[in-house]
Each structure stands twice: as structure tokens, then as C-alpha cells.
Amino acid sequence: MTAAFRGSKKFDVLVFIVAHPTKMYKDKDGQIEEPNMYNIKGGGEWYDASYHGILVHRDYDAKTVKAKVLKVKFQNLGENGAEAHFKWEPNSGSFIPHILDKIKEEPMPWE
């Protein structure tokens, strides 16, 4: 166990490790696929060893950022697959919550 993890247990603090994925490729539509924990070099070990995994993924076309929960070991602390979207606000210099317009009012097949 490294000194950072020993110190985190001793002082009861949370340690974040930021890991970037390996080279991501574009799909047939030219979009960069959303990475997961297995896209990190040694991904299986990262997934198995961590209690929590959070993805931060940028959508360059929509100019938004998605934060998505990839793994929660203890279900009372969160929900796998939960996500939030943010947009950059240059006046305040921060990201603000953004609601996507994914739900389209399309008629049902029987209508």
C-alpha cells in the first residue's frame, strides 16, 4: 500500500486518481466513443481495485461535459450509470448544470 493510501486511511480523506484512457478511436459516424474503466491501460485491475469510478467525457459537438458514474461498490453511496451534464460558463469561469433535450415528443406507433 502506498503512502498516499496509508495517509488517507489514517486521516480519513478521499484520494482521487485521475487516469486517462488509451487512444480512443472514432466510430462509423465520426464520433469518439465514450470510454469506460477498461479503456485505461491495465483496465481490469483499475476496475477491480477501485471502489468508485467516474467518467468525465467531453461532447465537442454539443459543447457539453458529461460526468457519469461507472462504478459504485456500495450501492447506498450512489447509482451506477447516473449522469449529469454541464456547460462551460465563461462569465463565471465554471461549469453549470445543463439539461439535454434528448426526449423528443414523437408520436407512439399506435397513434
Side-chain angles (χ1 to χ4, degrees):
M1 184 183 283
T2 65
F5 290 114
R6 282 193 299 267
S8 69
K9 284 189 171 248
K10 180 179 178 181
F11 296 109
D12 195 27
V13 296
L14 179 63
V15 175
F16 284 93
I17 298 174
V18 178
H20 296 272
T22 58
K23 183 166 175 68
M24 299 300 296
Y25 297 99
K26 294 182 179 181
D27 61 12
K28 61 182 177 186
D29 298 328
Q31 300 294 320
I32 296 175
E33 295 180 8
E34 183 178 288
N36 58 42
M37 292 179 75
Y38 292 103
N39 294 117
I40 303 168
K41 185 175 181 180
E45 288 81 14
W46 281 105
Y47 187 86
D48 294 341
S50 64
Y51 287 171
H52 307 282
I54 299 173
L55 164 74
V56 178
H57 183 67
R58 187 176 297 170
D59 183 345
Y60 290 98
D61 294 334
K63 295 185 175 143
T64 60
V65 173
K66 178 196 309 189
K68 182 177 180 180
V69 178
L70 297 178
K71 179 183 178 182
V72 176
K73 184 169 183 175
F74 304 110
Q75 297 303 313
N76 63 321
L77 297 177
E79 178 184 340
N80 287 324
E83 59 185 53
H85 298 265
F86 301 92
K87 206 166 191 75
W88 177 253
E89 173 58 46
N91 293 333
S92 65
S94 61
F95 285 95
I96 58 171
H98 176 68
I99 299 173
L100 295 179
D101 299 328
K102 285 189 172 184
I103 302 173
K104 295 181 181 177
E105 296 295 327
E106 296 179 4
M108 300 305 278
W110 55 83
E111 292 178 332

